[in-house]
Amino acid sequence: MHFQTIGSMPQRCFAPQVNAGQLCCARVTQSGAARRITALQSGPEVRGARVACMASRGAPMLERSDFQQPLNDEFARQSGDMDRLQTLQNHQNLLESAMASEAPGHLDPSRVAVHKSRMMLGLDRGVWVAAGLITAWASMIHITVFHTPLDSLQAVLLFWPMMQLHTGVFITAHDAMHGAVAPSSPRLNRFMGRLAGTLYAGLDYDSMKKAHHEHHAHTGLQQKDPDFHSGNPGLLPWAGKFIKKYLTIKQMVILNLMVGAVQISGAPYKNMVIFLLCAGLLSAVQLFYFGTYVPHKPPKDNPQQIMNWEKSNPTWATTRLASFLTCYHFDCHVEHHSNPRLAWYELWGARKQALESERQDSLRSEKQ
């Protein structure tokens, strides 16, 4: 670790090493108008080549996928924060060096060992998690739609798990958009993403992936971020814009074909309405509210504020269970944007590391 200065900003930078257990992730905290990124040491939970520079004014985590896209200086230009753009450029230069050191045939053996530790029976752990979620979802549909009387206690008890599993299927598609389901096999990762997107609501995985990466590249910019509000940050107008963006005729055709197939199989119509339509719609509300509206909502006193990802709002969740119940840990939104390659089940661990780092910083400050 060494110190560099870009412009007037002193920075603490982690050199682009690839030793196992010494990768970095970032946690952004706010104290009034000041922002700070704390470096966290992490083990095999954090995958990919990452180079993090911690600047007093904040800067995002860059990965391989970030290097493939043009440097995003839109926020820097609009805010006049050119130091931030310089920091981004510095990250890109460091990342280029890291990528060169990881050229095919030059991978560090310790990195290979870390990757192998994430495998189960020859497949990435994310594949097994995704397969488990999709299997549980299909099994729950079989139980609730075909074998659950609506006037029974069983129907009441199974409604929420059905909704949560609907959400989990979409989360699987989302993680695939970031290569987190099967990082060692892009083809399998893409297949799992397309399968999950189709099963969830007949979604076009490839077009959604493109839009979602635009959201990550231009977070909080009204004219650039497809998931951000269009000028009115109210819940209903924002949701309306979201529906208009993502609901397509092709999707409705696929949904109708899927529903028709279930009905032909002998499913009771009322059960389909409750456990497929209602549970599915509430799942979409859950995803939008906790995955988009809450984390990216601008403050009331400045509704037109640019909400770059460092400003993401936390939710009420203070435990792993509460975080999972909100939306598969997507209340850990800073952790997700700072390191999109983390799978949903790794986000809470990243948050705990961040909180522990903040606690240690606080203790050190008190001692001084």
Side-chain angles (χ1 to χ4, degrees):
M1 186 165 59
H2 61 282
F3 287 87
Q4 288 187 358
T5 300
I6 298 180
S8 59
M9 293 194 305
Q11 300 180 85
R12 186 173 57 177
C13 299
F14 284 81
Q17 299 173 346
V18 291
N19 296 326
Q22 297 298 320
L23 302 178
C24 306
C25 61
R27 165 70 178 172
V28 177
T29 56
Q30 296 189 30
S31 176
R35 295 197 307 273
R36 157 176 86 82
I37 293 186
T38 304
L40 303 177
Q41 293 300 319
S42 62
E45 292 80 15
V46 183
R47 64 168 68 88
R50 299 179 183 87
V51 180
C53 291
M54 277 53 68
S56 60
R57 299 182 68 171
M61 181 75 60
L62 294 186
E63 304 181 27
R64 286 182 183 272
S65 59
D66 299 311
F67 184 72
Q68 306 301 327
Q69 300 177 2
L71 193 64
N72 174 26
D73 62 348
E74 187 71 25
F75 176 80
R77 285 203 302 267
Q78 290 198 20
S79 64
D81 188 359
M82 297 311 293
D83 282 340
R84 186 174 188 274
L85 180 57
Q86 285 183 303
T87 304
L88 284 169
Q89 185 63 61
N90 184 61
H91 283 198
Q92 192 171 26
N93 294 338
L94 287 174
L95 186 60
E96 187 174 11
S97 299
M99 290 176 65
S101 68
E102 288 195 350
H106 298 85
L107 287 175
D108 189 298
S110 62
R111 175 172 289 283
V112 176
V114 169
H115 175 70
K116 287 182 177 179
S117 72
R118 303 184 60 82
M119 305 291 283
M120 295 173 60
L121 301 178
L123 292 174
D124 290 285
R125 182 172 60 179
V127 175
W128 294 107
V129 173
L133 267 174
I134 292 174
T135 301
W137 171 83
S139 300
M140 186 64 73
I141 286 180
H142 179 73
I143 293 170
T144 57
V145 174
F146 290 93
H147 301 290
T148 300
L150 292 182
D151 57 354
S152 67
L153 178 61
Q154 180 182 353
V156 176
L157 295 178
L158 292 182
F159 181 82
W160 181 85
M162 185 72 260
M163 182 196 76
Q164 192 75 356
L165 284 169
H166 278 305
T167 302
V169 172
F170 178 85
I171 293 295
T172 298
H174 168 271
D175 276 8
M177 295 175 195
H178 293 294
V181 172
S184 67
S185 175
R187 180 176 297 180
L188 178 57
N189 182 83
R190 186 166 53 250
F191 169 78
M192 296 298 291
R194 288 173 175 170
L195 175 64
T198 300
L199 292 176
Y200 177 72
L203 299 172
D204 185 332
Y205 169 80
D206 296 288
S207 63
M208 284 205 67
K209 178 182 177 181
K210 180 181 178 181
H212 189 64
H213 280 278
E214 289 175 358
H215 162 67
H216 274 260
H218 309 290
T219 308
L221 294 169
Q222 287 184 25
Q223 305 304 320
K224 296 282 189 177
D225 183 352
D227 292 355
F228 201 52
H229 68 83
S230 299
N232 186 343
L235 178 61
L236 293 181
W238 196 337
K241 183 238 180 177
F242 211 78
I243 293 172
K244 184 178 179 181
K245 167 68 180 177
Y246 290 108
L247 189 63
T248 66
I249 295 176
K250 178 183 177 182
Q251 178 188 3
M252 297 305 297
V253 170
I254 294 174
L255 275 175
N256 276 283
L257 290 174
M258 292 169 63
V259 169
V262 174
Q263 193 168 14
I264 290 173
S265 300
Y269 179 75
K270 290 183 179 179
N271 285 52
M272 292 174 61
V273 170
I274 297 299
F275 293 108
L276 294 182
L277 179 61
C278 293
L281 287 175
L282 284 177
S283 164
V285 171
Q286 178 187 23
L287 285 162
F288 171 74
Y289 185 77
F290 289 109
T292 298
Y293 179 73
V294 169
H296 297 301
K297 182 184 178 183
K300 290 182 179 180
D301 59 352
N302 188 9
Q304 302 306 313
Q305 177 174 308
I306 296 173
M307 289 295 292
N308 53 302
W309 64 265
E310 295 98 332
K311 299 175 183 176
S312 295
N313 304 305
T315 64
W316 49 269
T318 57
T319 65
R320 181 184 292 272
L321 178 60
S323 176
F324 171 75
L325 295 180
T326 57
C327 192
Y328 286 76
H329 303 301
F330 265 68
D331 59 309
C332 303
H333 220 71
V334 166
E335 288 77 7
H336 169 59
H337 272 267
S338 66
N339 191 349
R341 295 293 179 91
L342 288 178
W344 66 266
Y345 48 85
E346 297 171 309
L347 291 173
W348 183 255
R351 170 160 291 186
K352 287 199 69 175
Q353 288 179 325
L355 294 175
E356 177 61 22
S357 177
E358 291 172 16
R359 190 182 72 84
Q360 294 294 337
D361 286 348
S362 178
L363 290 175
R364 281 192 290 268
S365 297
E366 290 176 1
K367 290 179 180 180
Q368 293 176 356

